Structure formats: C-alpha cells, structure tokens
Amino acid sequence: MRVVSLGSSSSGNSLYVEAGPGGRTRLLVDAGLGVRVLQARLRSLGVDLSQLRGVLVTHEHSDHVLALPSLLRRYQVPVITNEETFAAIEQGLAAGAWRSDSGKLVVSPTEAEGDVVIQEQSETTLVQEQSGVEIVTRIQESTLVYRPVNNVPALILPTGKTTAVGDIEVTSFPILHDAVAPCGYLLSVGGCRLCVVTDTGEVTSEMLSMMAQADLLVLESNHDRQRLLRGPYPQRLKQRIISSKGHLSNDQAANAVLKTWRPDSIRWLWLGHLSKTNNTPSLALTSMRERLQSAGANLSQLHITVLPPGMGGIWDSTQLWHAPSLWDL
Ligand SMILES: [Zn+2]
Ligand SMILES: [Zn+2]
C-alpha cells in the first residue's frame, strides 16, 4: 500500500491510496481540492484522474468534496459513501454549491473549469495498462449498490460495513461532526492498515478500536484550544469548533493516540486538518510529542508527520518490515 497526502488543512483535504500489483487499485479519500490542483498533484505521482477506482467521501463539506463534480461527470470516477452523504452530494451537484465547514456557501468550480480535458473512457471498465490485455470491471463489488447520479456512478457503503474495492478492503465507521452522516475509514491490504479520522468533535470507543488497528494513522489535530479561544473567530464559530460535533484539538488528538497505542505497536502518525488560524505545525507536533513523552513512549520509534496544506506525507507499507516497536518493553 502506498499513501500520499495531496493536501490537508481546513481549506482542502485529499489522500491518495494505491495497492495491489503495480498499484492497480487507486483510491482517494476525499477530494476537497480544485480539480486542476488535484490533477497536477496526482500527475506528479504518475497517476491520471481517469485511473482512479473511486473516491471515498467522509462527509459533504466543501473542503472534502470540491473536486467531485469534475471527478464524477468528466472522469466517471465513482463516489463511495453512505446513503445520507450520497444524498447530500446529489443536492450539492444539483445546486452547484457546497457548504463549507464553517457553514458558508461555496460555489462549485466546475463551470469555470470548462477547459479541462475530458477523458474518453468507458463508464464501467478500466484497462489495466500493466498487462495490456486484462480488463477488469470497475464496479465489480456485488455488495455495493450501483446508482447513477447525473449519469455518473456511485457506490453505497453503509456506515459500519466492510467491502472490497479492488485490492483494498474498506471499512467505514461513524465519527462526530456537523454533517449528515460523517464517517472515518479503515483501509486494509494484506495485513497493512491505514485509518483516517478527521473532522470529528470527539473520539468514541468505536473510533479508538479502529485507530488501534492502524499502521498509519491519519488523525485530525485541528486547533490549539487556547489559541482558538483567544483568536479572532466569532464566538458562535468557536463554540461550534469545540463542540462534540466540531473538530479535534491538539490535546484531544494526543489523548486519542495515548488510548490506542499498544506495547507492540509500530506506528506512523500523520497529523492533519490543521487550522491556519488556530494552530501551527510546531504547536501540533510539540503538543503530541510532549504528551507521548510524559506517558513513557519511545519517541525515537515513532514517526510523526504534520501534514502541510500542500502535497506532503508519503508512506509505503514496506516500511513496516524495518520498524521496531514504539514502546520500550
Ligand atoms: Zn474538513
Ligand atoms: Zn467538515
């Protein structure tokens, strides 16, 4: 499994994951960047938008879905999410606008991007370049519901269910956020696991049980609580961010990590979805390190990365073979 952060912040999130022979199963977790930016960043990895097998959507806020109109309509990339989020996406597509995380209306950029080259490709098949002859069905998961949305494919994965998307086993689980049915994801390939938890106001025991399985954990570390409370945001927005359906603070993220670590765990931790106003990379990193250190974790064995708003953060599951455990036994 190879994982690359294409962007992570309050203003745009997308994670690229590939697995299988030659990295043939290519997925995004969220697509909250402009489609041109997304395209350029994927191209730098040698990947074309038309090669994506699907986009797992955590929730319908603009910083997670901005590129969906183009991905769905121009590139025929299926959206994969639960029924409720799917309905919200249908509304967003019809309205040509999305709600931002802070409640503002964000107009979909699709119309302004008319010069994007449309890829000629079948709706349901994808030719695997590696073999040159092998053709696999793009929507082969019988457990998923196929439904056209404005003539584009969609796969319904009810929250709490597990299914195979190509070479990747995908499990969704509920998180707490002010969207219709937000969820996190656990992605597994041959015993390697990636867990994505962003945009949640609290961490539940169910979320902890998913996070505890991860080799690579992508976790929200949105704000420094004091900085938020003293900062320039209106009171209502501050209350919303610290509410149980808002965002995780640096302290909450550290607590969650402390609760999930096992003595034999080998971990990579990516801290993401940082607020530009209410956090800094060094605050997020220092806060996490100090909390873990005071709990006795061996930090030399822990790989913490603070994800930048731009491209950054690359993980390959082969790193698992070389990593010792986190805690001194
Ligand atoms: Zn967000
Ligand atoms: Zn959100």
Side-chain angles (χ1 to χ4, degrees):
M1 190 186 329
R2 186 163 72 123
V3 185
V4 182
S5 175
L6 302 175
S8 179
S9 77
S10 290
S11 48
N13 299 277
S14 187
L15 196 68
Y16 171 70
V17 183
E18 67 175 30
R24 67 182 177 186
T25 301
R26 302 175 174 98
L27 293 178
L28 293 183
V29 180
D30 289 328
L33 304 167
V35 72
R36 286 180 183 174
V37 172
L38 199 60
Q39 187 174 41
R41 291 179 185 172
L42 280 171
R43 273 192 183 151
S44 74
L45 301 172
V47 177
D48 190 84
L49 287 173
S50 63
Q51 295 175 304
L52 293 172
R53 188 74 177 273
V55 185
L56 297 161
V57 176
T58 61
H59 66 294
E60 71 278 12
H61 287 156
S62 59
D63 59 315
H64 298 260
V65 299
L66 199 65
L68 274 191
S70 293
L71 287 176
L72 293 167
R73 291 176 175 149
R74 296 174 191 275
Y75 296 92
Q76 301 292 313
V77 178
V79 61
I80 305 169
T81 193
N82 56 51
E83 190 78 50
E84 298 86 349
T85 302
F86 181 67
I89 289 169
E90 280 184 304
Q91 284 177 14
L93 288 171
W98 310 98
R99 282 280 163 204
S100 78
D101 202 86
S102 56
K104 290 179 187 149
L105 207 57
V106 177
V107 175
S108 176
T110 311
E111 299 307 320
E113 293 180 334
D115 58 337
V116 174
V117 176
I118 297 174
Q119 300 292 311
E120 293 297 332
Q121 192 181 25
S122 158
E123 285 189 19
T124 56
T125 60
L126 176 67
V127 177
Q128 299 290 329
E129 300 94 325
Q130 288 219 319
S131 68
V133 292
E134 184 194 359
I135 295 177
V136 296
T137 57
R138 196 165 189 180
I139 300 166
Q140 62 185 6
E141 294 78 24
S142 58
T143 54
L144 297 174
V145 177
Y146 169 82
R147 190 164 89 186
V149 190
N150 298 326
N151 299 317
V152 295
L155 305 173
I156 300 302
L157 175 62
T159 301
K161 298 292 184 192
T162 297
T163 192
V165 181
D167 297 281
I168 303 176
E169 186 184 87
V170 178
T171 301
S172 73
F173 54 91
I175 59 173
L176 297 170
H177 194 53
D178 54 359
V180 291
C183 62
Y185 289 104
L186 183 69
L187 274 57
S188 308
V189 179
C192 301
R193 293 190 178 90
L194 157 70
C195 186
V196 182
V197 176
T198 65
D199 297 70
T200 189
E202 286 179 2
V203 176
T204 63
S205 55
E206 186 175 8
M207 290 160 62
L208 288 172
S209 73
M210 293 292 170
M211 290 161 60
Q213 299 174 50
D215 299 298
L216 169 61
L217 172 61
V218 179
L219 179 64
E220 174 171 53
S221 194
N222 178 259
H223 59 274
D224 175 86
R225 190 180 164 90
Q226 292 309 317
R227 204 177 166 109
L228 170 71
L229 294 177
R230 293 193 201 117
Y233 280 11
Q235 197 56 32
R236 221 179 68 185
L237 186 53
K238 290 179 184 177
Q239 286 304 324
R240 183 248 156 193
I241 291 169
I242 62 174
S243 77
S244 62
K245 292 191 168 182
H247 291 278
L248 287 185
S249 69
N250 295 340
D251 278 349
Q252 286 175 298
N255 281 339
V257 169
L258 279 171
K259 283 180 185 166
T260 58
W261 243 294
R262 307 178 308 273
D264 60 343
S265 66
I266 301 164
R267 294 298 180 93
W268 283 262
L269 175 61
W270 287 2
L271 301 176
H273 211 295
L274 268 68
S275 163
K276 287 172 191 163
T277 308
N278 303 309
N279 210 355
T280 66
S282 76
L283 264 178
L285 187 62
T286 306
S287 167
M288 181 62 72
R289 283 182 160 273
E290 283 178 355
R291 293 295 297 282
L292 291 174
Q293 233 157 7
S294 64
N298 180 355
L299 289 182
S300 66
Q301 313 294 6
L302 173 60
H303 309 271
I304 308 177
T305 300
V306 179
L307 296 178
M311 205 168 165
I314 298 175
W315 184 78
D316 193 303
S317 56
T318 56
Q319 293 175 42
L320 279 167
W321 305 113
H322 311 295
S325 69
L326 169 65
W327 300 81
D328 286 324
L329 293 172

